[in-house]
């Protein structure tokens, strides 16, 4: 079939709609740059009929199987958006069957399976794609993204991100590279210097410059971070810096960029959180008995509630239950509430606690929206984030992000020099991996945490051998 006949058939298909900017190209070789935007499925939209105009856009020959494969990918994406995981997997598998050289089809399979299958299977599939297209940046990025989504901070993944950074100067890759490396370990001068060199030859958006500036600041290159901030201010883009609280606070002492009432509240909030970090550590150090209560169901029926409530300091997490039925086993006292940023965490009156900890890796430097917590400026309750030093130490032990529970256990261990098993309740770590075990706090188990590794670290702390 000639190219014009194929094109005519493609255009007159009522299930397809093409605008001037949406083209289909032949997927050739392993070069991602040769691949253009994919077909958009819009059955109710009247198809284009101007063959001459369309011929201008479609310069490369497209095989019918490749077209159908791309269409299956779009159907898979639509099913995924609608929450129909099984259909998404089916369509993605068909896309692969139609065109075994279509890397987008394999990645669609990976995306669909990520919603249904466990970490090992998804990572195995992502690795399979990576090995099938070893020189393709798209397969590398897919593998690295899957690893990041599952909290895998291995050296092999860092190497892939470095390869991507070296071979692709795009803003997307640079941003992914910084975010991943900054999650895994503290900001490093060697990486900061690479970023400075890259900026000299590429013009990135002000939003990305703000990210780079925050990284430079955290890596100790304050003079260079000030120069970059000056560019942002001159471009009237200082607003992009606000999410990087430590950097924003530092810049304000030089350039007075906090001008509105909201900006000034943001500065006050940073000061309160920064001060709160020491307050949290002091509370733990000074308490005679610190009890940490997790949300594992293993304490049900043990009637430990009164013992828990009799301690000096009680720490609880996220959606810990407060029902009368649960109190006999878990108690009700809570001095320190540790919570995630996610909207799935119940809204509670923070004035009922002495201290609130927002969990996450190096939040004040890496990026943290303080606007959701500005009300702490008006109440006496202390607030803080995790100590970055302790957090990164634990990340190195796990090669992944620690759960909030293990993080608090580690802080107590480091400050007290020991963990007392009789002061720890509701921690199983691997409980949620067993079928039928329900977290009493009704909180998601989190696919990014390495539960067996966390259990091993916890047992080492109990033995005092960490």
């Amino acid at each position: 079939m000639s190219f014009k006949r194929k094109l005519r058939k493609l255009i007159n298909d009522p299930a397809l709609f093409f605008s001037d900017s949406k083209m289909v190209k032949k997927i050739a070789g392993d070069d991602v740059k040769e691949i253009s935007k994919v077909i958009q499925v819009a059955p109710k939209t009247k198809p284009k009929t101007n063959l001459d105009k369309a011929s201008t856009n479609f310069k490369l020959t497209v095989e019918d199987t490749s077209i159908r494969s791309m269409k299956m990918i779009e159907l898979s994406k639509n099913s995924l958006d609608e929450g129909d995981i099984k259909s998404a997997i089916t369509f993605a598998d068909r896309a692969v069957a139609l065109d075994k050289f279509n890397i987008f089809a394999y990645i669609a399979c990976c995306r669909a399976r990520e919603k249904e299958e466990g970490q090992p299977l998804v990572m195995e599939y992502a690795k399979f794609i990576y090995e099938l297209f070893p020189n393709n940046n798209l397969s590398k990025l897919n593998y690295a993204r899957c690893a990041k989504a599952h909290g895998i901070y291995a050296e092999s993944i860092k190497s892939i991100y470095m390869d991507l950074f070296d071979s692709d100067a795009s803003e997307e890759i640079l941003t992914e590279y910084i975010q991943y490396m900054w999650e895994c370990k503290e900001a490093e001068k060697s990486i900061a210097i690479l970023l400075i060199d890259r900026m000299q030859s590429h013009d990135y958006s002000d939003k990305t410059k703000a990210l780079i500036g925050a990284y430079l600041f955290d890596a100790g290159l304050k003079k260079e971070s000030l120069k970059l901030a000056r560019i942002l201010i001159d471009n009237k883009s200082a607003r992009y810096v606000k999410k990087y609280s430590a950097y924003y606070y530092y810049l304000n002492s030089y350039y007075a960029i906090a001008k509105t009432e909201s900006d000034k509240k943001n500065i006050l909030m940073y000061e309160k959180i920064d001060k709160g970090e020491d307050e949290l550590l002091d509370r733990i150090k000074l308490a005679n008995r610190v009890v940490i209560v997790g949300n594992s169901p293993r304490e049900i029926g043990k009637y430990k509630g009164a013992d828990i409530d009799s301690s000096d300091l009680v720490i609880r997490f996220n959606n810990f239950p407060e029902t009368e039925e649960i109190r006999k086993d878990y108690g009700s006292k809570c001095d320190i509430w540790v919570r995630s940023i996610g909207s799935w965490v119940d809204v509670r009156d923070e004035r009922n606690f002495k201290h609130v900890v927002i969990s996450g890796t190096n939040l004040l430097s890496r990026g943290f929206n303080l606007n959701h917590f500005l009300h702490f400026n008006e109440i006496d309750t202390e607030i803080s984030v995790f100590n970055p030093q302790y957090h990164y130490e634990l990340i190195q032990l796990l090669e992944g992000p620690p759960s909030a529970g293990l993080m608090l256990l580690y802080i107590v261990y480091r400050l007290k020099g020991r963990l007392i098993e009789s002061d720890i309740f509701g921690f199983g770590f691997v409980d949620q991996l067993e079928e039928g075990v329900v977290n009493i706090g009704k909180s998601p188990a989190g696919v990014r945490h390495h539960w067996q590794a966390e259990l091993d670290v916890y047992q080492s702390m109990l033995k005092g051998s960490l």
Side-chain angles (χ1 to χ4, degrees), residues 334-457:
C334 181
D335 301 297
I336 298 174
W337 181 38
V338 184
R339 56 153 298 172
S340 298
I341 301 174
S343 59
W344 55 269
V345 179
D346 293 343
V347 176
R348 306 202 179 194
D349 188 347
E350 292 95 346
R351 291 172 296 184
N352 294 330
F353 312 115
K354 294 176 181 176
H355 195 107
V356 174
V357 184
I358 311 300
S359 62
T361 306
N362 198 9
L363 292 181
L364 292 183
S365 293
R366 284 184 54 245
F368 180 38
N369 187 353
L370 292 179
N371 290 335
H372 298 302
F373 302 96
L374 291 181
H375 60 279
F376 274 88
N377 285 328
E378 314 301 327
I379 62 178
D380 293 333
T381 303
E382 299 167 3
I383 183 171
S384 69
V385 296
F386 284 141
N387 177 284
Q389 177 189 339
Y390 291 158
H391 209 153
Y392 280 122
E393 287 176 6
L394 199 48
I395 282 172
Q396 294 306 308
L397 289 170
L398 297 169
E399 288 195 334
S403 66
L406 187 70
M407 189 67 236
L408 253 295
L409 290 166
Y410 184 73
I411 289 173
V412 172
Y413 179 80
R414 294 281 273 106
L415 294 177
K416 298 281 193 181
R418 69 190 188 284
L419 281 184
I420 301 174
E421 192 168 8
S422 59
D423 292 342
I424 301 167
F425 302 86
F427 278 90
F429 295 104
V430 296
D431 287 355
Q432 62 268 53
L433 302 181
E434 299 174 17
E435 189 174 351
V437 176
V438 180
N439 184 309
I440 62 168
K442 296 181 180 179
S443 306
V447 297
R448 303 188 76 226
H449 302 310
H450 305 188
W451 297 112
Q452 183 58 54
E454 292 209 357
L455 178 60
D456 294 342
V457 169

Side-chain angles (χ1 to χ4, degrees), residues 31-50:
D31 190 353
V32 181
K33 294 177 182 178
E34 290 185 23
I35 302 172
S36 185
K37 297 182 180 179
V38 301
I39 294 173
Q40 305 296 307
V41 176
K44 296 182 181 179
T45 308
K46 185 177 179 181
K48 293 277 185 181
T49 56
N50 188 335

Side-chain angles (χ1 to χ4, degrees), residues 233 248 250-259:
I233 292 168
Y248 184 69
Y250 173 71
L251 293 180
N252 188 61
S253 63
Y254 280 87
Y255 300 125
I257 56 179
K259 300 183 184 301

Side-chain angles (χ1 to χ4, degrees), residues 41 53 62 84 132 139 158 295-296 349 369 380 382 388:
V41 176
K53 186 175 183 179
V62 184
D84 187 354
L132 194 62
S139 69
K158 293 175 188 175
N295 291 326
S296 164
D349 188 347
N369 187 353
D380 293 333
E382 299 167 3

Side-chain angles (χ1 to χ4, degrees), residues 94-137:
R94 287 180 186 172
V96 170
L98 283 164
D99 188 351
K100 296 189 181 300
F101 297 99
N102 186 348
I103 187 172
F104 285 112
Y106 289 100
I107 291 176
C109 286
C110 196
R111 289 285 176 268
R113 282 172 166 78
E114 195 168 17
K115 299 292 183 181
E116 185 177 73
E117 298 175 347
Q119 181 200 85
L121 288 175
V122 173
M123 285 305 302
E124 185 178 329
Y125 199 90
K127 186 178 181 181
F128 164 74
I129 298 169
Y130 173 55
E131 291 173 347
L132 194 62
F133 302 94
N135 300 316
N136 189 306
N137 278 3

Side-chain angles (χ1 to χ4, degrees), residues 82-95:
E82 293 168 2
D84 187 354
I85 311 301
K86 292 190 180 300
S87 294
I89 292 174
T90 300
F91 285 128
D93 286 343
R94 287 180 186 172

Side-chain angles (χ1 to χ4, degrees), residues 58-71:
F58 295 89
K59 294 297 183 184
L60 297 180
T61 303
V62 184
E63 296 296 335
D64 288 345
T65 53
S66 295
I67 295 168
R68 292 201 300 272
S69 179
M70 298 302 279
K71 184 176 175 181

